[in-house]
């Protein structure tokens, strides 16, 4: 009886091992869980209708550790921002360069929006926004967005652009002496373009 059981058990064990090996080769490299928005691998095969894709995913991991390094002193000079940035990481990594009373007379902030689903989340909620104006910056899709109130007449503008299909970056400028005849989103878009230049150079 024992010999008969052995003859049956060995093929079953061999089949299980074969299935285990073949399953690993078919599935390929395992994807990490819970960390996709932190890297350039964050992409989705199925985006909601109308949501534009990025031309090439850009990795932001290094800047999530040091968000103020996403813009250099030379890149900040055209905005007359000379002071050090103030880094924050809660609820997401961001850096603020405030200079409302000195030469710049503006505040600039850059946020790596790890708390939402990239531009897809904005597009799905676009009817809830007061302002929702798609645009392209350095070939990457973005949106001028405002929630409950359009603050552009007060010198405030928010631009959010995608760096992967699952991760976006938000850039905000707040001008202390806004010129009502000038669209305050000009500096915001210019700063967003500089952020993208940094990311392209490091990817």
């Amino acid at each position: 009886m024992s010999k008969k059981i052995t003859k049956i058990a060995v093929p079953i064990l061999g089949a299980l091992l074969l299935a285990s090996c073949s399953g690993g080769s078919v599935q390929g490299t395992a994807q990490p869980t819970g960390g996709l928005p932190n890297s350039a691998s964050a992409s989705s095969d199925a985006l909601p209708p109308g949501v534009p894709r990025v031309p090439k995913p850009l990795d932001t991991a290094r800047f999530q550790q040091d968000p103020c390094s996403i813009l250099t002193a030379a890149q900040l000079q055209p905005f007359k921002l000379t002071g050090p940035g103030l880094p924050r990481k809660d609820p997401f990594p961001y850096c603020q360069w405030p200079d409302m009373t000195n030469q710049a007379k503006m505040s600039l902030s850059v946020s790596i929006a790890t708390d939402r689903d990239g531009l897809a989340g904005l597009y799905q909620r676009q009817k809830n926004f007061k302002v929702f104006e798609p645009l392209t910056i350095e070939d990457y899709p973005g949106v001028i967005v405002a929630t409950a109130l359009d603050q552009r007449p007060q010198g405030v503008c928010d631009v959010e652009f995608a760096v992967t299909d699952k991760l976006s970056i938000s850039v905000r400028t707040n001008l202390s002496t806004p010129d009502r005849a000038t669209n305050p989103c000009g500096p915001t878009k210019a700063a967003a373009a500089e952020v993208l230049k940094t990311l392209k150079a490091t990817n």
Side-chain angles (χ1 to χ4, degrees):
M1 177 68 69
S2 60
K3 291 182 179 180
K4 185 175 182 181
I5 293 175
T6 301
K7 289 180 180 180
I8 296 174
V10 169
I12 292 175
L13 178 60
L16 290 173
L17 290 172
L18 180 61
S20 174
C21 293
S22 64
S25 62
V26 171
Q27 292 176 1
T29 303
Q31 294 295 328
T33 58
L36 286 178
N38 298 336
S39 69
S41 63
S43 183
S44 172
D45 291 333
L47 286 174
V51 180
R53 284 189 177 278
V54 299
K56 176 188 175 183
L58 298 173
D59 195 339
T60 64
R62 61 181 289 186
F63 300 107
Q64 292 184 41
Q65 299 302 315
D66 183 12
C68 291
S69 66
I70 206 164
L71 289 174
T72 66
Q75 288 174 305
L76 292 166
Q77 195 278 331
F79 306 99
K80 300 180 180 180
L81 291 166
T82 57
L86 305 177
R88 299 286 187 273
K89 291 186 179 180
D90 186 23
F92 42 73
Y94 76 92
C95 187
Q96 184 179 31
W97 292 268
D99 191 1
M100 298 295 285
T101 58
N102 296 317
Q103 188 177 15
K105 291 184 171 52
M106 69 176 292
S107 174
L108 168 66
S109 64
V110 178
S111 307
I112 304 175
T114 57
D115 62 332
R116 48 186 173 269
D117 195 24
L119 285 190
L122 294 183
Y123 269 79
Q124 288 176 324
R125 305 191 313 273
Q126 63 178 290
K127 293 181 180 179
N128 300 328
F129 291 110
K130 183 68 174 179
V131 177
F132 192 91
E133 299 178 5
L135 77 165
T136 301
I137 299 174
E138 291 285 312
D139 299 325
Y140 280 73
V143 179
I144 296 174
V145 65
T147 52
L149 179 67
D150 184 358
Q151 293 183 292
R152 288 177 293 183
Q154 286 75 48
V156 179
C157 181
D158 288 275
V159 169
E160 189 155 338
F161 59 90
V163 289
T164 77
D165 288 341
K166 290 291 186 179
L167 181 65
S168 56
I169 290 180
S170 175
V171 177
R172 165 181 274 220
T173 57
N174 185 357
L175 310 182
S176 64
T177 55
D179 183 350
R180 293 180 181 275
T182 303
N183 186 344
C185 290
T188 321
K189 291 186 284 187
E194 293 301 321
V195 170
L196 273 166
K197 288 175 184 178
T198 297
L199 292 173
K200 288 179 179 180
T202 54
N203 273 261

